[in-house]
């Protein structure tokens, strides 16, 4: 007989995507649990085999998006840049949502 005691992992897997997304946003936006967030960064880094500093810096700075997009557009075909930007936006709209209103991003 298998142990079916509730665990954080089992609860997370039972949640729908939107529930997990809201829970994750609430966790990372809560300014009162910095120690828990630091521990989560360490665990994610270990699991993904990343450096903790890399995991902690995953949120893009929206003030740098414009110049970064301009640099990409200058270096690569606009159609390729558009596909890249749309891919980022589709995979993680919360992180890359600032790209949504860019004129160089097709609808």
């Amino acid at each position: 007989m298998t142990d079916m005691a509730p665990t954080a992992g089992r609860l997370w897997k039972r949640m729908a995507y939107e529930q997990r997304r809201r829970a994750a946003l609430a966790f990372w936006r809560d300014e009162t649990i910095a120690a828990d967030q630091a521990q989560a960064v360490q665990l994610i880094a270990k699991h993904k085999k990343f450096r903790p500093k890399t995991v902690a810096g995953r949120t893009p700075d929206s003030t740098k998006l414009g110049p970064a997009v301009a640099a990409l557009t200058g270096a690569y075909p606009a159609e390729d840049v558009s596909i890249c930007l749309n891919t980022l936006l589709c995979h993680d709209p919360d992180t890359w949502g600032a790209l949504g209103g860019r004129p160089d991003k097709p609808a």
Side-chain angles (χ1 to χ4, degrees), residues 52-101:
K53 185 176 179 179
T54 302
V55 172
R58 296 291 294 179
T59 304
D61 181 350
S62 61
T63 63
K64 295 179 181 178
L65 283 178
V69 170
L72 288 171
T73 304
Y76 301 98
E79 194 172 302
D80 293 347
V81 173
S82 177
I83 290 170
C84 178
L85 297 179
N86 277 300
T87 300
L88 291 171
L89 190 57
C90 287
H91 282 283
D92 192 352
D94 295 321
T95 300
W96 297 100
L99 294 172

Side-chain angles (χ1 to χ4, degrees), residues 22-38:
R22 285 193 315 264
L25 285 173
F27 175 79
W28 291 111
R29 289 179 177 163
D30 190 338
E31 296 176 6
T32 65
I33 57 170
D36 293 327
Q37 292 166 341

